[in-house]
Amino acid sequence: MKSFLGKLTVYILLLGTLLSLYVLIVYFRPDLVDLFYYRFTTPKASSLILGSSRAAQGLKPSTINKKLGRDENTKIINHAFAGGPSTIGPNYYREITQKLKQGSKDGIFIISVTPWTFTTGTDNIDDDSLQFFEVKRKLYVGNLKSSSTNPNLEYLWKYWHNKFSVFEYAFKYMINYGGILRLHADGWLEVDIDMDSTVVNQRIKTAMAEFTETAKHVKWSNTRYFFFEKIIDYLQKRGKVYFVRMPVSKDMAELEHAYFPGFDEQMKITADRYNIHYINFIHESGKYKTTDVHHLWRESSEIISNKLSDSLLYYRNNQP
């Protein structure tokens, strides 16, 4: 009996040690959980980069903060996610109100706009927000009680599907594994993947086929545009808002022009109405290296982040 109890005690201690190690890894290395979790553990911020994955991968807060001289209290963070989770709508609006530091009055808000984030399915006849993909699926963006808690137990319990990912990512970091995606504390998603031209061209070809098919089944959503204006109204009370349209591959730029020919004009009209600067890089599509059809390679992200910062500095120094 004593032998059994001794073994049981050893097993319990071993299990407790492993569980404690597991909890500590999640707490101190939230970047090892998945590609989104870290953003829900960082403190609220007074300045935000918003949008879909083009902004998540393409805009570097560290570069922008350095050029604009933003300190720890006023620094901008990247709170863009992906086309589904952070598509413009009621969920993303709620998320923004949760992540923004209360009382902020001198913020900078960069909204990355793409035509895709203003669309809904053609089967959504009434343009009902309850039929939006992210609303129906109850995705994590806008559905967490807190977006600034470490550990964020609600996210871990409801939305963390691969509970062993921390060990997988930790091992990949240890062996300097190629092809890893690294989510930084400031929200920038760094993608390190094979950039051989043959591989990239195949990614572009595959993605173009998917987006071309998708374009046939979506339409402009006035309801999403309504929430876009709600977001603008909310943010303008707390700082300066800017629109930016990211450069993409030449193929994607041509596709968007074909299916959404009036998008730029709509953004210009909106920008003028709200006295917002619209910084448009779409005409530079094809000039920068992309990992696929529309995401900037990390070196291109640095270039665009610098160019965007230069525009922000110019507008800040030349306001009427």
Side-chain angles (χ1 to χ4, degrees):
M1 184 66 178
K2 289 183 178 179
S3 175
F4 171 76
L5 291 175
K7 289 180 179 179
L8 180 62
T9 300
V10 171
Y11 288 143
I12 291 174
L13 288 173
L14 180 60
L15 182 62
T17 301
L18 290 173
L19 183 60
S20 298
L21 178 63
Y22 189 69
V23 171
L24 287 172
I25 291 174
V26 171
Y27 179 79
F28 287 106
R29 291 297 303 273
D31 57 312
L32 298 179
V33 171
D34 60 24
L35 299 181
F36 304 108
Y37 173 69
Y38 206 168
R39 297 193 185 101
F40 296 109
T41 66
T42 53
K44 295 186 177 187
S46 60
S47 297
L48 302 170
I49 295 169
L50 303 168
S52 60
S53 56
R54 292 183 188 179
Q57 297 180 34
L59 295 177
K60 296 181 64 176
S62 58
T63 300
I64 297 171
N65 286 321
K66 184 177 180 180
K67 272 220 164 184
L68 271 59
R70 309 291 287 185
D71 60 25
E72 189 65 25
N73 293 320
T74 61
K75 68 181 181 180
I76 194 168
I77 65 168
N78 195 320
H79 209 57
F81 292 86
S86 57
T87 301
I88 294 166
N91 285 21
Y92 203 24
Y93 173 74
R94 285 198 304 274
E95 179 63 32
I96 292 166
T97 62
Q98 285 194 163
K99 194 64 178 181
L100 190 61
K101 185 187 297 182
Q102 298 304 308
S104 173
K105 295 295 181 183
D106 190 30
I108 294 177
F109 306 106
I110 300 168
I111 305 178
S112 171
V113 294
T114 82
W116 305 97
T117 56
F118 288 88
T119 63
T120 187
T122 52
D123 57 344
N124 187 3
I125 299 172
D126 297 325
D127 199 9
D128 183 359
S129 64
L130 295 178
Q131 298 303 311
F132 289 166
F133 173 83
E134 72 278 13
V135 176
K136 290 174 67 176
R137 295 292 182 90
K138 297 181 180 179
L139 298 184
Y140 42 88
V141 172
N143 282 318
L144 294 172
K145 292 183 177 66
S146 171
S147 297
S148 304
T149 304
N150 186 25
N152 195 317
L153 298 178
E154 184 183 11
Y155 183 99
L156 295 172
W157 178 256
K158 292 182 178 179
Y159 301 105
W160 187 22
H161 303 298
N162 181 5
K163 299 296 191 291
F164 296 100
S165 62
V166 290
F167 302 111
E168 177 188 343
Y169 283 123
F171 178 72
K172 287 181 177 179
Y173 281 125
M174 286 173 60
I175 64 173
N176 198 25
Y177 178 81
I180 200 166
L181 282 71
R182 185 192 304 264
L183 183 58
H184 292 257
D186 60 14
W188 178 51
L189 180 60
E190 180 182 4
V191 179
D192 179 16
I193 56 178
D194 189 351
M195 289 300 292
D196 177 79
S197 59
T198 302
V199 176
V200 174
N201 288 336
Q202 183 56 50
R203 289 194 205 115
I204 291 175
K205 182 179 179 181
T206 301
M208 280 302 299
E210 294 174 355
F211 274 100
T212 301
E213 185 60 27
T214 298
K216 300 174 184 176
H217 303 285
V218 296
K219 62 180 181 179
W220 176 267
S221 169
N222 287 325
T223 302
R224 289 201 186 279
Y225 183 77
F226 166 78
F227 279 100
F228 182 55
E229 293 193 304
K230 283 194 68 172
I231 290 170
I232 295 169
D233 284 332
Y234 180 81
L235 295 177
Q236 281 199 313
K237 295 182 178 69
R238 293 156 178 83
K240 193 71 176 176
V241 179
Y242 299 89
F243 298 163
V244 60
R245 190 174 182 189
M246 301 291 287
V248 291
S249 68
K250 185 178 179 182
D251 291 338
M252 175 55 84
E254 291 174 352
L255 176 67
E256 291 185 353
H257 179 71
Y259 280 91
F260 310 102
F263 181 72
D264 271 338
E265 187 59 31
Q266 181 65 61
M267 290 300 101
K268 289 175 185 175
I269 291 171
T270 307
D272 289 343
R273 183 186 309 139
Y274 287 93
N275 194 28
I276 289 172
H277 294 294
Y278 178 31
I279 305 165
N280 191 356
F281 294 119
I282 196 65
H283 302 298
E284 298 183 21
S285 294
K287 287 178 57 178
Y288 305 97
K289 188 178 288 189
T290 57
T291 60
D292 51 28
V293 74
H294 65 152
H295 295 116
L296 291 179
W297 173 234
R298 57 186 180 186
E299 294 173 2
S300 302
S301 300
E302 178 70 21
I303 295 170
I304 285 298
S305 296
N306 269 296
K307 291 189 71 170
L308 175 61
S309 299
D310 289 339
S311 295
L312 297 179
L313 281 171
Y314 174 81
Y315 291 132
R316 186 179 73 182
N317 297 331
N318 293 276
Q319 291 294 334

